[in-house]
Amino acid sequence: MVFSQTNFEKAEKLFVQEKYALAKPMFENILKENPNHLKTLEYLGDIEGSNKSWDKALIYYDKLKRLNPSNANYYYKYGGCLGMKAKESNKFRALGMIGDVKANFEKAIQINPNHVEARWALIELYLQLPAIIGGSEHKAQKYAYELQKISPVDGYLASGHIAEYFEKYKDAEKLYSKAIAIGGSKVSYQKLANLYKNKMNQPEKAKTLLENYQEKKKL
């Protein structure tokens, strides 16, 4: 047990350092000794996902869901992985996966009503899908409003992202500005700066905004 624990800690350290090629065989050896070790399964799923080996990652995440069906993150990761596989598949094959992708994200929210990432994933899904197969601004906005209640900053960023996607740039500007006013996070500043630079043709405004962020960081 002590030997296994030491090996796990070494593998985990390599994983944190993103040395996945070194960590992977160590985790696989640990799994041979303890096939149901949840954290090892999750790390291996994450490694396969980082390598875009979606089918292998799905096997690990599916086992995690079966071993611990009350963990929201396992459903979220399974749904995200399946979504990436669908994105890289042909349209007809992808159509058959969309329902399962949604179901896993929704299950994550059902288990953990405050799950922020699953809502972001559903927003992106409803934006990217064509309307004919379920894409919907209204449905995306529904999850943005839910985010607003859990995390106001995420709510404004999500609503801004939706507005930007549909080329409502003035609305997006106001929403990103609200996110900055509440949280002042780097992501909020970056979102608004990118909007100015890439969508509203105002590179100087973007530059000034990022300079303001750097100044506030010094305070």
Side-chain angles (χ1 to χ4, degrees):
M1 285 293 291
V2 174
F3 177 73
S4 296
Q5 184 64 24
T6 304
N7 283 346
F8 176 80
E9 287 169 356
K10 286 178 182 174
E12 188 174 45
K13 189 175 180 181
L14 290 168
F15 178 89
V16 171
Q17 294 170 348
E18 297 185 11
K19 296 177 180 178
Y20 301 141
L22 296 173
K24 182 181 172 180
M26 293 180 72
F27 282 131
E28 287 172 338
N29 284 333
I30 292 163
L31 208 62
K32 287 174 187 174
E33 296 175 26
N34 190 349
N36 295 335
H37 192 267
L38 297 177
K39 205 63 194 172
T40 298
L41 286 164
E42 187 173 4
Y43 281 140
L44 283 167
D46 293 349
I47 289 169
E48 297 298 354
S50 73
N51 293 331
K52 298 186 178 182
S53 302
W54 311 124
D55 286 328
K56 289 179 181 178
L58 285 167
I59 290 169
Y60 289 119
Y61 294 145
D62 183 60
K63 186 171 182 179
L64 284 166
K65 288 197 301 175
R66 286 185 282 109
L67 288 171
N68 188 359
S70 61
N71 187 306
N73 275 335
Y74 298 158
Y75 291 89
Y76 165 68
K77 287 188 174 186
Y78 185 94
C81 189
L82 191 63
M84 292 306 297
K85 181 181 176 180
K87 197 173 180 182
E88 294 183 4
S89 303
N90 66 61
K91 289 181 181 179
F92 292 107
R93 194 175 177 201
L95 272 173
M97 300 181 201
I98 296 303
D100 202 12
V101 173
K102 284 184 195 174
N104 276 275
F105 289 147
E106 287 165 358
K107 182 69 175 176
I109 292 169
Q110 182 188 333
I111 294 168
N112 177 6
N114 293 325
H115 205 289
V116 169
E117 294 85 357
R119 285 180 174 83
W120 268 107
L122 281 163
I123 288 167
E124 201 58 45
L125 185 68
Y126 282 120
L127 290 180
Q128 297 292 337
L129 284 178
I132 196 168
I133 55 168
S136 166
E137 181 181 0
H138 175 73
K139 288 178 182 176
Q141 193 61 62
K142 168 185 174 284
Y143 287 106
Y145 289 143
E146 288 183 12
L147 276 176
Q148 185 84 36
K149 294 173 185 174
I150 302 164
S151 164
V153 171
D154 277 286
Y156 283 125
L157 286 176
S159 292
H161 177 60
I162 294 166
E164 183 178 351
Y165 185 86
F166 289 101
E167 300 181 4
K168 301 172 184 176
Y169 299 141
K170 280 293 180 185
D171 289 343
E173 180 185 15
K174 289 175 187 173
L175 291 158
Y176 289 150
S177 295
K178 285 182 179 179
I180 288 171
I182 292 174
S185 68
K186 183 178 180 181
V187 172
S188 303
Y189 276 93
Q190 196 67 57
K191 285 281 186 182
L192 184 54
N194 288 342
L195 179 73
Y196 284 143
K197 184 181 177 182
N198 301 323
K199 303 291 176 62
M200 299 178 78
N201 196 26
Q202 296 178 344
E204 284 304 315
K205 213 167 180 179
K207 185 183 174 187
T208 302
L209 184 73
L210 292 176
E211 285 172 354
N212 288 344
Y213 171 71
Q214 291 300 329
E215 285 301 315
K216 285 188 178 181
K217 265 182 71 180
K218 292 176 185 176
L219 297 176

